[in-house]
Amino acid sequence: MEKVKLGPQTLLYPMPAVLVGSKVAEKPNFMTAAWCGIAAHKPPAVSVALRKERHTLKGVKEQGTFSINVASADLVKKVDYIGIYSGKDRDKSQIFETFYGILKTAPLIRECPLNLECKVIHLLDLDSHTLVVGEIIETYISESCLTDGKADPEKVDPLVYTPGARKYQRLGDVIGKAYQVGKDATL
Amino acid sequence: MEKVKLGPQTLLYPMPAVLVGSKVAEKPNFMTAAWCGIAAHKPPAVSVALRKERHTLKGVKEQGTFSINVASADLVKKVDYIGIYSGKDRDKSQIFETFYGILKTAPLIRECPLNLECKVIHLLDLDSHTLVVGEIIETYISESCLTDGKADPEKVDPLVYTPGARKYQRLGDVIGKAYQVGKDATL
């Protein structure tokens, strides 16, 4: 398999397309982020990279709280709209119905099937971005996305972001069970 | 949309299923990781959460380098095998053909379509995990996965990990172009 060098690229497949929420000047504000991942099991933690000039980051720093909202595929237009326009220029507080949880200051999106309510535990200063690491204080899921009391990814129908091609996709064919297909595999 | 609280959960959709490589005791070692994301544009950086007892983390710390290898769907059995068994117990150096790049000490997997060669820039100590932040020094792609000189996600055919359900999936239907479907959307 011949390899080609592309130079340093921020390429990873797949990426999520989540909405990050924070309270800025007493209003909920949201931005779209693909650079988001789980950071630890204990404490349950998530990391998200926010460009330093982001309006949302201002709120994250002021309040010390934020939310990660996993969008479903049917919200694609709103997610993209929120990704295109800044809260500095457009009031994005009315696009979704928001609610608050335990922390009181992290706006959560009711229409999004899965919501992580987070408290900032680290702000890692990189050059272009601040890597925000938050402890997940509570997880909310839409009742309609549960099967036997557990999150059902098919019902969540999460939006997938594909960088480079800049496309939104759905989850596709299931090709195997984890911790199973590799057992005693002939490699 | 009625919400149910699940308690703090490390739930995010989708996740990648990458292979993290490092050199341990002069041998390439690999582990499977889903908790991986891009951390910054400048420097181009990636973050990956590694449990502290991980054999791979030992190599990351000793060498100060590591690799992130994006697996294609056809590698699902090997990826899962590597996720199940530890390098402490099984020699995983022969499962893939490895090569080295600029840094000389970060083993890269030839069979994986996309490889990020990384230099450690931060080790963030969380309780269960160390969040390793690495600068991407070079990106390698299999020539067969390019279209007009750019990474083609359809050809990469990346493995997607779905937590909770613990399934491996493929990318699914394209539902829109980013920075386009949200323009002048009726919200």
Side-chain angles (χ1 to χ4, degrees):
Chain A
M1 220 168 280
E2 214 46 56
K3 292 284 179 181
V4 175
K5 292 181 192 176
L6 295 175
Q9 300 238 350
T10 53
L11 262 186
L12 187 70
Y13 301 107
M15 289 184 185
V18 299
L19 295 165
V20 186
S22 75
K23 208 172 174 183
V24 186
E26 294 307 306
K27 270 189 187 172
N29 191 71
F30 299 100
M31 61 165 273
T32 303
W35 293 0
C36 181
I38 297 296
H41 172 69
K42 191 180 168 191
V46 67
S47 70
V48 61
L50 303 185
R51 263 196 287 129
K52 289 189 179 167
E53 60 272 28
R54 282 287 192 184
H55 204 52
T56 303
L57 182 58
K58 201 167 169 271
V60 170
K61 286 184 172 176
E62 277 174 13
Q63 305 288 347
T65 63
F66 64 100
S67 67
I68 298 292
N69 303 272
V70 173
S72 47
D74 63 319
L75 296 175
V76 64
K77 283 188 183 179
K78 291 188 177 186
V79 170
D80 197 49
Y81 177 92
I82 283 174
I84 294 170
Y85 302 106
S86 169
K88 285 173 195 153
D89 309 318
R90 305 214 180 182
D91 177 6
K92 298 195 260 188
S93 65
Q94 303 302 314
I95 294 173
F96 291 108
E97 186 190 334
T98 53
F99 69 102
Y100 290 88
I102 301 163
L103 299 173
K104 310 284 185 201
T105 53
L108 299 146
I109 298 176
R110 192 164 298 279
E111 291 92 329
C112 286
L114 181 64
N115 321 89
L116 306 177
E117 187 183 12
C118 306
K119 191 176 77 178
V120 176
I121 54 173
H122 287 285
L123 292 172
L124 186 61
D125 186 36
L126 298 170
D127 197 354
S128 61
H129 287 67
T130 297
L131 190 67
V132 178
V133 181
E135 179 175 349
I136 302 163
I137 301 298
E138 186 57 275
T139 307
Y140 304 85
I141 189 157
S142 300
E143 207 170 9
S144 57
C145 294
L146 291 171
T147 296
D148 299 331
K150 286 188 180 167
D152 186 329
E154 273 189 55
K155 294 178 180 172
V156 170
D157 190 18
L159 204 54
V160 177
Y161 180 61
T162 304
R166 291 182 154 205
K167 283 188 267 192
Y168 297 109
Q169 298 188 238
R170 279 201 153 92
L171 290 177
D173 295 340
V174 174
I175 49 176
K177 283 285 283 176
Y179 307 98
Q180 206 171 84
V181 288
K183 265 192 188 165
D184 313 309
T186 314
L187 301 179
Chain B
M1 219 168 281
E2 213 47 57
K3 291 286 181 182
V4 175
K5 291 181 193 177
L6 295 176
Q9 300 237 351
T10 52
L11 262 186
L12 186 70
Y13 300 109
M15 289 183 185
V18 298
L19 295 165
V20 186
S22 75
K23 208 172 172 181
V24 186
E26 294 307 306
K27 270 189 188 172
N29 190 71
F30 299 100
M31 58 166 275
T32 303
W35 293 1
C36 182
I38 298 296
H41 172 68
K42 194 182 166 188
V46 67
S47 71
V48 61
L50 303 186
R51 263 196 288 127
K52 289 191 180 166
E53 60 272 27
R54 282 289 192 184
H55 203 53
T56 304
L57 181 57
K58 202 169 168 268
V60 170
K61 286 184 173 176
E62 278 174 11
Q63 305 288 346
T65 63
F66 64 100
S67 67
I68 299 291
N69 304 273
V70 174
S72 48
D74 63 319
L75 296 175
V76 64
K77 283 188 182 178
K78 290 188 177 186
V79 169
D80 197 49
Y81 177 92
I82 284 174
I84 293 170
Y85 302 106
S86 169
K88 285 172 196 153
D89 309 317
R90 302 212 182 187
D91 177 6
K92 298 194 260 187
S93 66
Q94 303 303 316
I95 294 173
F96 291 108
E97 186 189 334
T98 52
F99 68 102
Y100 290 87
I102 301 164
L103 299 172
K104 309 285 185 199
T105 54
L108 300 146
I109 298 177
R110 191 164 298 278
E111 292 91 330
C112 286
L114 182 64
N115 320 88
L116 306 177
E117 186 183 12
C118 306
K119 191 176 76 177
V120 176
I121 54 173
H122 286 285
L123 292 172
L124 187 61
D125 186 38
L126 299 169
D127 197 352
S128 61
H129 287 67
T130 297
L131 189 67
V132 178
V133 182
E135 179 175 348
I136 302 162
I137 301 298
E138 186 57 273
T139 308
Y140 303 84
I141 189 158
S142 301
E143 207 170 9
S144 57
C145 293
L146 292 171
T147 296
D148 299 331
K150 285 187 179 169
D152 185 329
E154 273 190 56
K155 293 179 180 173
V156 171
D157 189 20
L159 204 54
V160 177
Y161 180 63
T162 304
R166 290 182 153 204
K167 282 187 269 192
Y168 297 109
Q169 298 188 236
R170 280 201 152 92
L171 290 176
D173 295 340
V174 173
I175 51 177
K177 282 285 284 176
Y179 308 97
Q180 204 170 86
V181 288
K183 264 191 187 165
D184 314 310
T186 314
L187 301 179

